[in-house]
Amino acid sequence: MSRRTQKPFCDPENLQGQFLTPTLGRRLIVFNRITSTNGFLKRLARRGAATGTLVLADQQTAGRGRLGRQWQSPPAAGLWFSMLLRPRLATEFTGALSLIISAVIADGLSAICKCSFYVKWPNDVLYRNLKVCGILCEAQFSAGTKLTDAHSKLDYVVAGIGININQRPDDFKPEWRKRATSLSMITGEPMDRQNVLVNLVQRLDAALFGNLAESMPALLSRWRALCPQLGKQVALQQPHATIHGFFEDIGEGGELILRLRDGKRRAFLAGEVSVAK
Ligand code: BTN
C-alpha cells in the first residue's frame, strides 16, 4: 500500500466521536508517522489553529523530550500526542502547566489501571520509581517577548504527551530498562490505546480548558499530594552541579523550592530531582 493510500492507524472520526469534550479534540489530526507531533502542532499554532487542537501519531521518527533529549516513539506501542492551549494566563504561571498536566494524567492512569501513579518534578508520571509518561510544554510569547519580560503575554502552549502503553521490557533501550515501564507491563495485559486516550482527553479538557487561572491553585495542590519527593531531602542535578536541599514546595510558576543547607530558600526552574540517600 502506498503511503498516500495507507489507512490511518485509527479511525479519526470514530475516535473524535468518543471524546464528548467541548474543546479538546474538536479538531483532531491523526498520523501514522510523523517526525514530532509537537513540531507539527507548533507550525499549525503559528498559522492560528484553535485552542484544543489535538495531534496524534502512531509513530514519531524524531520525538523530542525535555532538555533536547530524544523520545523513543515506536509504532503501536504508545500514545504520542500534542494539544494546543491558548490560555488566558499570566506568563509567570506558564511553567506550572506541565505539572498540572502530569497530575491530571497520573490520576487518569490510576483510575484506568487501578493502581497508584505519582508525579515527579517537573514533568514525569511514574509508577513506583519507573517513568511511564513524559510531558514537553513549549510556550510561545507574543511577538518578540520572553517569559521574563515584564510586558510579555502568553500566545500559546503546545503540550506534548508521551505515554508508554504496550512496550515490553526489551522494547526499551538498555539505558531505559531500569528506569521506564509501560501500562501493559504494570497491569500484565495489553491495553487499548484509544480507550486510554479517550479517558485522558476527557480529564484534560475539564482541567485545562475552563478558567485555568481560577483552577490552577487546586490543580497544584493535587500535584503536591501526588509527589512523594515533596517534604524530603533531595539532590537536584544541574548541568554543572548537584544541589542538596529540603524539597519544601513548588511555586505558582511550577518552580522547585528548596531549603538549602545554609537555611536559604531558593527556587529552581530546571534539573533532575532524586531523593537523597
Ligand atoms: C520528557 O519526558 O522529556 C518529555 C517527553 C515528551 C514526549 C512527547 S510524545 C508527543 C510529543 N511530541 C514530541 O516530540 N514530544 C512529545
Side-chain angles (χ1 to χ4, degrees), residues 81 98-120 123-128 130 132-135 161-163 183 186 196 199-200 203-204 207 219 222-228:
F81 65 100
S98 62
L99 277 75
I100 63 179
I101 292 171
S102 64
V104 172
I105 290 183
D107 277 336
L109 296 181
S110 299
I112 295 165
C113 299
K114 300 184 178 50
C115 56
S116 298
F117 287 78
Y118 300 96
V119 295
K120 180 182 164 205
N123 70 334
D124 292 350
V125 178
L126 306 183
Y127 173 74
R128 300 193 175 147
L130 301 171
V132 174
C133 162
I135 294 149
I161 300 171
I163 309 177
L183 298 192
I186 295 165
V196 177
N199 187 314
L200 295 178
R203 291 167 184 271
L204 290 164
L219 291 165
R222 184 65 196 141
W223 187 92
R224 289 183 184 93
L226 288 168
C227 179

Side-chain angles (χ1 to χ4, degrees), residues 36-38 60 63-66 71 81 123 131 134-135 160-162:
S36 155
T37 55
N38 262 36
Q60 295 184 118
R64 291 185 289 114
R66 217 164 52 92
W71 180 262
F81 65 100
N123 70 334
K131 181 158 170 166
I135 294 149
I161 300 171

Side-chain angles (χ1 to χ4, degrees), residues 159-221:
I161 300 171
I163 309 177
N164 299 325
I165 307 273
N166 281 322
Q167 288 97 329
R168 289 160 305 178
D170 286 356
D171 294 328
F172 292 107
K173 281 190 178 162
E175 65 268 29
W176 270 103
R177 273 178 213 154
K178 285 203 170 101
R179 291 191 284 144
T181 190
S182 68
L183 298 192
S184 67
M185 285 161 64
I186 295 165
T187 59
E189 54 192 46
M191 302 292 289
D192 182 314
R193 287 184 293 166
Q194 286 193 45
N195 285 349
V196 177
L197 182 67
V198 169
N199 187 314
L200 295 178
V201 161
Q202 207 70 38
R203 291 167 184 271
L204 290 164
D205 184 89
L208 300 171
F209 293 92
N211 185 340
L212 194 51
E214 212 173 271
S215 49
M216 187 76 98
L219 291 165
L220 285 178
S221 293

Side-chain angles (χ1 to χ4, degrees), residues 28-97:
L28 171 68
I29 302 164
V30 177
F31 289 97
N32 284 343
R33 190 165 58 178
I34 193 170
T35 46
S36 155
T37 55
N38 262 36
F40 178 81
L41 188 50
K42 282 202 286 183
R43 289 195 290 280
L44 283 192
R46 282 197 285 273
R47 299 208 300 260
T51 192
T53 301
L54 186 66
V55 178
L56 169 71
D58 184 38
Q59 177 189 12
Q60 295 184 118
T61 53
R64 291 185 289 114
R66 217 164 52 92
L67 309 172
R69 294 179 188 137
Q70 282 186 342
W71 180 262
Q72 269 189 273
S73 322
L79 276 173
W80 326 124
F81 65 100
S82 300
M83 51 189 186
L84 177 61
L85 292 100
R86 296 188 183 275
R88 259 187 251 130
L89 201 63
T91 50
E92 58 265 34
F93 299 121
T94 313
L97 277 171

Side-chain angles (χ1 to χ4, degrees), residues 214-252:
E214 212 173 271
S215 49
M216 187 76 98
L219 291 165
L220 285 178
S221 293
R222 184 65 196 141
W223 187 92
R224 289 183 184 93
L226 288 168
C227 179
Q229 297 175 319
L230 189 68
K232 299 214 169 101
Q233 289 294 337
V234 295
L236 178 69
Q237 190 76 50
Q238 297 218 303
H240 303 293
T242 303
I243 295 153
H244 295 270
F246 180 76
F247 186 173
E248 206 164 81
D249 201 1
I250 42 159
E252 286 181 330

